[in-house]
Amino acid sequence: MNELSPADRRLIIGISGASGVVYGVRLLRLLRNAGVETHLVLTKTAEVTFAHETSMKIADVRALADFCHRVDDLAAPIASGSFKTSGMIVAPCSIRSMSEIASGVTTTLLTRSADVVLKERRKLVLMVRETPLHAGHLRSMTALAEMGAIIAPPVPAFYSRPDSIADMVDHNVGRVLDLFDIDVGVVTRWGETAGRSPERRVRSGEDQDSTPATGRETP
């Protein structure tokens, strides 16, 4: 098997202000364990969302990445196509960030980096967090899909019989990493490991009753 190049082990992770910042945090942790170099960019509204949804300090979030770039630093390496990566994941992706990327009129490092990924024909995955969606949202998604982006809303899979929110988060981020051929061992795969193991069923009591019943910063 050919050895992976540095660019194949380098991903940009964007965290916008949509609900679900835990997705970005979990991606950073899993990618660190997988030996993938991560470049993180957080929006200002993401910092606000962290305060509402988690007890994490922003410094601790940044420390999960290999490199952390200021959202207003448009001279950062990830703003240039000559800086090679295997792509970018925005997790979660707000409608504002998605709309900027779709229009090509980018105002932050997060959206500029996503635009660079698209123009270089690299993989861009947007975990869009919004519902319901109006026609304008859907048109933006269609435009992005036509440009080559992958729209991957974090939709829970119940066939895996998740025991917790953490299980559902793992499955969603694991499926997104599948798109980059990165298997971190957190996905319950249909036809291979569908449903709970006998041990998990016994622990939860299902066999006894059949009644349905959460780095370095560039200057």
Side-chain angles (χ1 to χ4, degrees):
M1 184 175 69
N2 294 329
E3 186 176 345
L4 292 173
S5 69
D8 289 326
R9 305 297 295 182
R10 180 186 286 158
L11 269 176
I12 305 167
I13 302 297
I15 302 179
S16 76
S19 179
V21 289
V22 64
Y23 293 110
V25 169
R26 189 59 175 145
L27 276 169
L28 290 169
R29 287 180 169 146
L30 291 170
L31 289 168
R32 168 166 285 189
N33 291 337
V36 176
E37 180 183 297
T38 52
H39 288 254
L40 172 65
V41 55
L42 287 151
T43 66
K44 297 296 185 183
T45 47
E47 295 185 15
V48 175
T49 305
F50 267 102
H52 284 283
E53 296 187 349
T54 79
S55 58
M56 293 187 72
K57 297 183 182 300
I58 295 302
D60 295 330
V61 178
R62 290 175 175 150
L64 294 172
D66 293 294
F67 296 89
C68 185
H69 306 281
R70 297 194 315 268
V71 72
D72 60 350
D73 183 12
L74 295 179
I78 58 176
S80 172
S82 66
F83 185 76
K84 296 189 70 174
T85 70
S86 55
M88 180 175 185
I89 304 169
V90 184
C93 181
S94 67
I95 288 295
R96 175 178 177 172
S97 293
M98 181 194 74
S99 300
E100 275 200 21
I101 300 165
S103 72
V105 183
T106 57
T107 62
T108 70
L109 180 60
L110 186 149
T111 53
R112 166 60 185 170
S113 300
D115 191 61
V116 166
V117 167
L118 284 176
K119 80 180 183 68
E120 297 295 327
R121 305 300 190 266
R122 298 168 188 158
K123 193 163 291 184
L124 174 65
V125 179
L126 306 177
M127 296 184 73
V128 179
R129 273 285 291 108
E130 187 64 271
T131 192
L133 299 165
H134 62 58
H137 299 153
L138 296 171
R139 290 190 188 104
S140 292
M141 291 182 183
T142 298
L144 283 163
E146 290 171 345
M147 288 183 234
I150 298 173
I151 310 297
V155 178
F158 293 104
Y159 69 81
S160 61
R161 308 252 187 121
D163 283 323
S164 64
I165 292 175
D167 286 345
M168 290 188 282
V169 168
D170 272 3
H171 189 87
N172 274 284
V173 298
R175 290 290 290 122
V176 164
L177 290 176
D178 279 349
L179 297 169
F180 294 86
D181 294 322
I182 300 172
D183 188 346
V184 291
V186 296
V187 176
T188 299
R189 302 190 183 283
W190 183 261
E192 297 178 12
T193 53
R196 296 181 179 181
S197 66
E199 291 80 8
R200 288 181 69 192
R201 289 200 301 269
V202 169
R203 285 200 304 271
S204 65
E206 289 183 25
D207 283 354
Q208 301 167 24
D209 183 358
S210 60
T211 304
T214 166
R216 291 166 287 180
E217 183 169 341
T218 59

